[in-house]
Amino acid sequence: MQDRIRNAAMRDRIVSAAEAAALIQDGMVVGMSGFTRAGEAMAVPLALAERARSHPLKITLMTGASLGHDLDKILAETQVTARRLPFQSDPALRRAINAGEVMFIDQHLSETVEQLRTRQLPAPDIAVIEATAITAEGGIIPTTSVGNSASFAILAKKVIVEINSAHPLSFEGMHDIFIPTYRPNRMPIPVVTPDSRIGLPYIPIPPEKIAAIVMTYKSDSAASIASPDEDTVAIANHLIDFLSHEVKMGRMDNRLVPLQAGIGSIANAVLHGLIESPFHDLRMYSEVLQDSTFDLIDAGKLTFASGSSITLSAAHSRRIMQDFDRYKPHLMLRPQEISNHPEVVRRLGLIAINTALEFDIYGNVNSTHVMGTQMMNGIGGSGDFARNALLSVFVTKSVAKGGAISSVVPMVSHVDHTEHDVDILVTETGLADLRGLAPRERARIIIQNCAHPDWQSSLQDYYDRACAFGGHTPHILEEAFSWHIRLRKTGRM
Ligand code: COA
């Protein structure tokens, strides 16, 4: 207890989860820790959901990103979540969002706290933050994610801290909490390399703001990452060949430039592919550190990884947490506005690798909306990185749902990343380097290199007929969504 709550007077604030949850009232804005299933407070939200079964209440729930332990499911099913931002990935919450029952505000992950600070969004009434420990001064040492926790704690009127003693005390020192100064006279954010340490190892708040402390013992829920398969290995190989070419052209050396890799199985597999690559002394300036980050460290390929969360499969989590001191010198977790900050992403010159649901023959990318209407997860950090990276790469398999859906379409049904933000597209069939190409040149290379053979000739036919209408970006407006409409009617594009 002395190690976990170092300010003796604060130990009087230890209460049960139900007592802490009683501080949350109907209509409140609640900021909770948690980022891609890592570092979320669990006991208080579960107690809140339990209370809502007999005494209904609704809140606006803000987090860093998605929550683990089915919390988004439970809070959606008990109808506690009325509004949700900035990201989620839970099937039950997704259903409620797509049914119009939960209002979901899908934001660039670097932006939420900027909007909070400038009072464009209502400040959290209360923050619920998972911690490794509380320092003698009342500073909160986060756990496996930082996300938006620091700004939630700083801006909220009251803070509930869940101390999770399942996490090792050696997490202390892994975090770098830096909050930018207010605009318009903001100083530059002084991150100049992925390992720049610019802030404090804890979240600084006045101790009197901590209204309740709840003691817990839980592991993060495991990431459900599919293992690399033939297609994702092919995607990784195309990308590695391309990067080798960039090295040969003298645009970077064998250490590459710092890497960002998005969530999901494909991005994880691509990073995994770097283990067998000729590159070395790699660095990451990313958002989520997945299994592949640790495999690259083990392989001696990656020297440093900066992120906002550590999200691991069960097997990796067991292994890495047991031996955490060995990995700690290679890691740093930052607030998501810093890990994803456009200023820093542009300064460091990243290779950003994110996943598309579909892209079109001109290079516009849809990462969020199935059939242009059904929310999948959200844009997450992909836009923060894609617009500002040195090389913005989007990967996807060329077909989905057993080949019924082509991921390359005449016109995307929703645009998250415009053609202006997309440099490289990769599927298992090949890679399209779009840099310096006009739309008509892009279409030829995307169809030729990235489309699945089953759909290639139909795409070529669409493009050829579209050219008859002329234009800088030729389209047949009557047909642009005909592939999606056919899918809705027949189950196949
Ligand atoms: N139309 C319909 N469904 C499609 C599709 C398409 N064009 N392409 C893929 N899907 C479906 C897959 O079939 C799969 O469905 P299932 O869960 O029922 O099996 C699901 O989408 C996920 O696709 P998968 O191929 O497994 O990829 P993934 O796990 O790598 O996730 C995204 C892909 C796009 C959903 C995910 O990367 C994402 O949410 N991205 C946006 C946020 C982001 O990029 N953050 C990164 C910054 S760190």
Side-chain angles (χ1 to χ4, degrees):
M1 191 65 82
Q2 280 101 322
D3 290 339
R4 299 278 174 179
I5 308 177
R6 299 175 197 160
N7 180 323
M10 274 196 189
R11 291 181 207 137
D12 295 346
R13 295 181 213 169
I14 298 176
V15 294
S16 70
E19 286 169 303
L23 296 171
I24 301 173
Q25 299 297 318
D26 187 36
M28 278 188 169
V29 177
V30 182
M32 289 195 199
S33 65
F35 193 104
T36 51
R37 303 161 72 91
E40 65 276 315
M42 183 169 79
V44 173
L46 283 180
L48 187 68
E50 199 45 46
R51 190 174 106 213
R53 290 181 206 279
S54 50
H55 296 86
L57 83 160
K58 291 197 177 296
I59 62 168
T60 293
L61 174 58
M62 301 178 182
T63 56
S66 51
L67 298 176
H69 293 289
D70 283 341
L71 286 176
D72 263 326
K73 173 181 189 299
I74 294 162
L75 291 168
E77 287 176 351
T78 50
Q79 297 179 17
V80 171
T81 306
R83 298 176 77 75
R84 181 77 174 89
L85 63 157
F87 186 80
Q88 59 78 44
S89 64
D90 179 80
L93 177 55
R94 186 181 295 150
R95 192 207 57 73
I97 290 167
N98 287 323
E101 294 158 11
V102 171
M103 295 297 110
F104 176 50
I105 299 94
D106 175 21
Q107 291 190 309
H108 294 304
L109 294 189
S110 70
E111 274 200 319
T112 309
V113 296
E114 292 277 29
Q115 293 193 349
L116 285 174
R117 269 199 296 271
T118 46
R119 299 194 299 278
Q120 298 178 81
L121 288 173
D125 294 290
I126 198 153
V128 187
I129 310 292
E130 186 185 73
T132 304
I134 302 178
T135 68
E137 297 75 29
I140 300 170
I141 301 170
T143 60
T144 43
S145 69
V146 178
N148 284 326
S149 299
S151 288
F152 288 160
I154 290 165
L155 296 169
K157 295 173 195 105
K158 286 180 187 171
V159 180
I160 300 171
V161 180
E162 279 194 14
I163 302 231
N164 181 357
S165 47
H167 289 307
L169 279 164
S170 56
F171 276 2
E172 184 170 6
M174 165 172 68
H175 311 95
D176 187 47
I177 310 298
F178 176 90
I179 305 294
T181 50
Y182 277 82
R183 295 176 288 190
N185 299 317
R186 176 179 290 175
M187 297 301 288
I189 295 165
V191 172
V192 291
T193 59
D195 61 352
S196 295
R197 178 167 277 285
I198 62 172
L200 295 168
Y202 55 82
I203 301 168
I205 55 163
E208 58 277 12
K209 263 177 75 164
I210 298 181
I213 300 173
V214 177
M215 303 304 291
T216 64
Y217 187 93
K218 71 152 181 70
S219 308
D220 279 338
S221 43
S224 46
I225 293 286
S227 309
D229 59 25
E230 205 178 307
D231 288 341
T232 57
V233 168
I235 291 171
N237 287 340
H238 293 312
L239 197 51
I240 288 164
D241 287 348
F242 164 77
L243 293 172
S244 301
H245 180 72
E246 290 300 288
V247 172
K248 204 163 130 206
M249 298 302 286
R251 298 192 188 112
M252 51 187 77
D253 63 27
N254 258 333
R255 297 179 315 147
L256 304 181
V257 294
L259 302 166
Q260 177 264 334
I263 54 162
S265 310
I266 301 178
N268 192 58
V270 168
L271 273 196
H272 216 264
L274 292 171
I275 291 175
E276 301 298 331
S277 75
F279 311 121
H280 57 83
D281 293 312
L282 300 169
R283 294 139 299 154
M284 287 183 78
Y285 194 82
S286 197
E287 184 189 274
V288 185
L289 307 181
Q290 304 190 87
D291 287 0
S292 49
T293 300
F294 294 85
D295 295 337
L296 282 165
I297 293 174
D298 286 343
K301 287 280 183 184
L302 184 77
T303 57
F304 198 82
S306 164
S308 196
S309 79
I310 298 174
T311 301
L312 300 171
S313 65
H316 272 68
S317 180
R318 264 193 308 278
R319 183 165 66 69
I320 285 150
M321 291 308 157
Q322 267 168 14
D323 203 9
F324 188 73
D325 287 349
R326 190 162 71 78
Y327 293 98
K328 189 172 159 185
H330 302 280
L331 302 174
M332 192 180 289
L333 296 186
R334 307 177 188 273
Q336 68 198 63
E337 71 171 319
I338 304 299
S339 64
N340 293 26
H341 204 288
E343 173 194 335
V344 179
V345 173
R346 182 64 72 94
R347 178 180 300 133
L348 297 182
L350 306 185
I351 297 171
I353 307 163
N354 291 291
T355 310
L357 283 175
E358 61 179 7
F359 54 79
D360 67 27
I361 56 173
Y362 298 111
N364 298 290
V365 168
N366 172 11
S367 291
T368 56
H369 283 71
V370 172
M371 299 287 278
T373 57
Q374 305 292 303
M375 172 54 67
M376 176 63 88
N377 298 329
I379 192 165
S382 55
D384 291 324
F385 291 102
R387 174 150 294 180
N388 302 292
L390 181 151
L391 273 177
S392 174
V393 181
F394 280 90
V395 294
T396 187
K397 296 184 182 185
S398 67
V399 289
K401 304 292 177 205
I405 298 176
S406 170
S407 309
V408 189
V409 291
M411 184 185 268
V412 282
S413 54
H414 175 93
V415 190
D416 292 296
H417 311 288
T418 74
E419 53 172 313
H420 314 284
D421 296 337
V422 179
D423 299 314
I424 309 290
L425 291 170
V426 200
T427 67
E428 77 287 356
T429 66
L431 179 146
D433 179 356
L434 307 177
R435 293 172 299 173
L437 299 187
R440 286 171 186 250
E441 295 168 310
R442 287 174 163 232
R444 273 183 225 114
I445 188 171
I446 290 172
I447 295 169
Q448 190 184 317
N449 293 5
C450 298
H452 190 275
D454 288 356
W455 303 95
Q456 214 165 22
S457 55
S458 309
L459 285 166
Q460 189 62 48
D461 172 59
Y462 173 86
Y463 173 69
D464 291 342
R465 288 184 297 112
C467 285
F469 287 86
H472 174 63
T473 306
H475 268 301
I476 309 168
L477 293 179
E478 297 79 356
E479 273 186 42
F481 293 131
S482 60
W483 292 38
H484 298 89
I485 295 167
R486 201 158 43 244
L487 173 64
R488 195 179 60 196
K489 284 187 180 154
T490 68
R492 189 179 161 81
M493 272 185 171

